């Protein structure tokens, strides 16, 4: 019995050694060294208590990652594969199918990875989606924009972390983007869709035996796609239990998760992260959903609310280990309700020389705090919506109080940060 973990994240938020202390088999980890460095973690010289810890400098080459993963899986007779980064779930699924292992295979993941298929299945399940099309040529994309109006959104069908996502407000901006995107000719991996106004909500949770056993909605108070240009504090808040949106979002997500399961597919436990627009005219419109734990500090927000880390419980569920905080729910009871409201405040990296970083907050309601840069360090711009300079988790009895705390804290973090352009 052994598990292979594919890991392109820092280790601090993913303490597999602690999460899997009762796992009776071998734990093998293949990690990306560059991701540790980008979050200020040294690349370890030991194995961190794992049976094997192996590094690639980066996970950019899918074939190289698959080659090393397969070699490790064969050497250790792996019978489970775990991956929690959106860019690694395909490799994990490929490896499971190749070795006939339990868990999601590529066909099972496709509705969560192919945004065009995802939206088609969502509509079939009664979930509203934005008008969209897979534009094979620049002319087709321009025709879509002329038919549906501006702004439009251009994104990769299998993209993640808002990388490469473009919101284009007029024909000239679209034409420039399309000239670059289609410079090599027709392609089928780009999606163009009508812009949906409103605030983005997200629902995160865990599915076991085809049933949602844990879920809760939150609402971003910022634009995800602005990660490269936003110097301020980005606040994300959970919704109160009596908020009119809470039950609507939970019900919509339940329809969506059910609708994306293939009738002939495999049952497998998984976390999910669904992003849903709440429009000014009170509609809920799907943006997309992923079959893995949410990024940023969503895992830690859930721990503050429920005493459950989504990353930990998704990992343990996939290995068939006990889930004590969900024991009653797994016996047929209702999903747990949050004990407090929570949220996160995030600051994105921006390029330059770091002259000052925020100080650790002393308030008792600050559950966790992180800084990912040091004085004197030269850092690049944020490479995605999860490339942070600093982050904090706060709790309160209500969303309103939590928002006040997070915004007050965020303003202080901004005032304490000093980054200047390189000379």
């Amino acid at each position: 019995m052994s598990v292979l973990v594919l890991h392109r994240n820092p280790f601090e938020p993913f303490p597999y050694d602690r999460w899997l202390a009762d796992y009776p088999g071998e734990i093998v980890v293949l990690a990306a060294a560059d991701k540790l460095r980008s979050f200020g973690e040294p690349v370890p010289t030991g194995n961190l208590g794992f049976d094997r810890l192996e590094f690639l400098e980066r996970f950019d080459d899918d074939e190289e990652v698959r080659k090393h993963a397969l070699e490790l899986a064969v050497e250790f007779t792996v019978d489970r594969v775990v991956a929690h980064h959106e860019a690694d779930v395909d490799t994990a699924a490929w490896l499971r199918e190749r070795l006939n292992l339990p868990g999601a295979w590529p066909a099972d993941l496709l509705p969560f990875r192919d945004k065009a298929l995802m939206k088609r299945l969502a509509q079939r399940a009664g979930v509203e989606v934005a008008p969209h099309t897979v534009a094979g040529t620049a002319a087709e994309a321009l025709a879509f924009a002329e038919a549906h109006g501006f702004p439009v959104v251009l994104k990769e069908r299998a993209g993640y972390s808002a990388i490469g996502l473009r919101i284009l407000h007029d024909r000239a901006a679209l034409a420039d983007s399309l000239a670059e995107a289609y410079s090599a000719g027709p392609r089928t991996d780009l999606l163009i869709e009508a812009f949906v106004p409103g605030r983005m909500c997200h629902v995160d949770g865990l599915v076991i035996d085809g049933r949602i056993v844990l879920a809760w909605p939150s609402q971003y108070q910022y634009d995800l796609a602005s990660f490269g240009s936003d110097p301020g504090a980005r606040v994300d808040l959970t919704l109160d239990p009596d908020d009119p949106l809470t039950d609507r979002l939970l019900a919509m997500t339940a329809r969506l998760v059910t609708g994306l399961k293939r009738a002939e597919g495999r049952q497998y436990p998984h976390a999910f992260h669904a992003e849903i627009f709440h429009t000014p005219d009170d509609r809920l419109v799907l943006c997309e959903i992923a079959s893995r734990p949410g990024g940023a500090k969503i895992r830690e927000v859930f721990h503050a609310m429920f005493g459950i880390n989504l990353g930990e419980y998704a990992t343990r569920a996939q290995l068939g280990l006990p889930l004590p905080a969900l024991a009653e729910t797994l016996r047929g009871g209702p999903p747990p309700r949050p004990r407090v409201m929570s949220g996160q405040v995030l600051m994105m990296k921006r390029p330059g020389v770091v002259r000052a970083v925020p100080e650790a907050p002393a308030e008792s309601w600050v559950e966790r705090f992180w800084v990912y840069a040091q004085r004197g360090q030269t850092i690049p711009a944020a490479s995605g919506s999860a490339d942070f300079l600093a982050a904090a988790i706060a709790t309160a009895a209500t969303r309103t109080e939590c928002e006040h705390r997070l915004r007050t804290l965020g303003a202080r973090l901004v005032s304490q940060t000093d980054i200047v352009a390189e000379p």
Side-chain angles (χ1 to χ4, degrees):
M1 175 183 292
S2 60
V3 57
L4 172 63
V5 179
L6 304 177
H7 190 71
R8 95 169 63 202
N9 284 299
F11 276 120
E12 181 271 329
F14 295 88
Y16 296 108
D17 55 338
R18 189 175 76 243
W19 290 355
L20 303 179
D22 57 341
Y23 180 65
E26 296 173 303
I27 301 175
V28 182
V29 179
L30 179 61
D34 65 323
K35 291 302 180 184
L36 270 68
R37 295 192 194 96
S38 70
F39 282 86
E41 288 189 19
V43 178
T45 54
N47 65 2
L48 298 183
F50 304 128
D51 295 277
R52 174 75 67 82
L53 173 58
E54 191 165 308
F55 286 95
L56 297 176
E57 176 56 32
R58 55 183 58 86
F59 275 20
D60 293 345
D61 186 332
D62 287 343
E63 287 192 14
E64 183 183 13
V65 175
R66 290 185 176 191
K67 174 179 175 292
H68 280 267
L70 181 59
E71 289 172 353
L72 287 169
V74 171
E75 178 182 350
F76 285 88
T77 319
V78 161
D79 58 6
R80 294 290 192 279
V81 182
V82 169
H84 291 319
H85 194 288
E86 187 74 4
D88 296 327
V89 295
D90 290 335
T91 296
W94 170 84
L95 193 56
R96 295 186 195 108
E97 185 174 44
R98 174 75 178 262
L99 299 176
N100 194 29
L101 303 181
W105 288 10
D108 304 312
L109 279 181
L110 195 59
F112 294 91
R113 294 290 294 128
D114 180 346
K115 294 176 177 42
L117 174 61
M118 176 193 302
K119 292 174 186 290
R120 186 164 69 249
L121 295 176
Q123 285 181 298
R124 189 180 300 170
V127 172
E128 184 178 353
V129 304
H132 63 279
T133 190
V134 176
T137 65
E140 290 176 9
L142 282 169
F144 175 90
E146 296 295 344
H148 293 277
F150 290 91
V152 293
V153 180
L154 196 65
K155 62 175 71 172
E156 294 183 10
R157 287 174 69 171
Y160 59 90
S161 293
I163 297 171
L165 183 149
R166 283 159 284 183
I167 300 173
L168 304 161
H169 293 270
D170 54 47
R171 197 179 195 283
L174 177 60
D176 288 344
S177 289
L178 295 178
E180 177 186 352
Y182 292 93
S183 60
R187 53 194 293 186
T188 60
D189 61 336
L190 286 182
L191 193 75
I192 186 169
E193 61 185 29
F195 179 81
V196 180
R199 185 72 74 186
M200 175 82 82
C201 302
H202 60 97
V203 182
D204 298 88
L206 183 65
V207 173
I208 297 178
D209 294 331
R211 174 193 175 207
I212 294 179
V213 297
L214 176 67
W216 202 257
S218 303
Q219 191 177 65
Y220 297 118
Q221 306 300 301
Y222 59 88
D223 175 12
L224 279 175
S226 68
F227 64 83
S229 59
D230 188 351
R234 295 154 71 91
V235 171
D236 179 27
L237 291 160
T238 56
L239 298 185
D240 287 315
D242 60 355
D243 190 303
L245 277 180
T246 295
D247 286 341
R248 290 174 61 194
L249 286 164
L250 291 174
M252 175 178 174
T253 305
R255 292 198 308 275
L256 179 62
V257 168
T258 299
L260 264 57
K261 291 295 182 186
R262 299 166 58 245
E264 69 280 17
R266 299 152 61 86
Q267 286 276 21
Y268 62 97
H270 65 92
F272 63 86
H273 173 72
E275 294 179 341
I276 300 166
F277 295 105
H278 179 224
T279 68
D281 58 353
D282 199 31
R283 293 177 295 122
L284 296 180
V285 181
L286 174 68
C287 177
E288 57 193 58
I289 182 171
S291 179
R292 44 84 181 163
K297 299 303 179 183
I298 290 170
R299 298 171 299 271
E300 291 80 3
V301 166
F302 260 65
H303 189 268
M305 286 194 297
F306 297 102
I308 295 171
N309 183 298
L310 275 177
E312 177 183 7
Y313 265 48
T315 303
R316 292 180 63 84
Q318 290 172 19
L319 300 182
L321 296 175
L323 307 174
L326 289 175
E328 183 177 340
T329 302
L330 294 173
R331 288 194 293 266
R337 306 287 280 184
R339 55 195 183 188
V340 293
M341 290 292 95
S342 185
Q344 52 186 327
V345 58
L346 309 166
M347 290 183 61
M348 307 308 300
K349 288 181 180 175
R350 60 183 192 270
V353 179
V354 179
R355 297 204 303 195
V357 295
E359 301 171 6
E363 290 89 343
S364 61
W365 43 261
V366 177
E367 296 282 320
R368 298 284 304 277
F369 175 71
W370 301 262
V371 173
Y372 296 109
Q374 300 176 356
R375 289 182 60 188
Q377 184 179 3
T378 300
I379 59 174
S383 60
S385 60
D387 197 0
F388 311 123
L389 175 72
I393 302 296
T395 58
T398 66
R399 170 189 165 149
T400 299
E401 183 182 7
C402 193
E403 180 171 9
H404 173 72
R405 289 175 171 179
L406 285 168
R407 293 198 182 281
T408 300
L409 175 59
R412 189 167 81 231
L413 299 182
V414 170
S415 71
Q416 293 174 342
T417 301
D418 186 12
I419 300 175
V420 296
E422 284 191 86

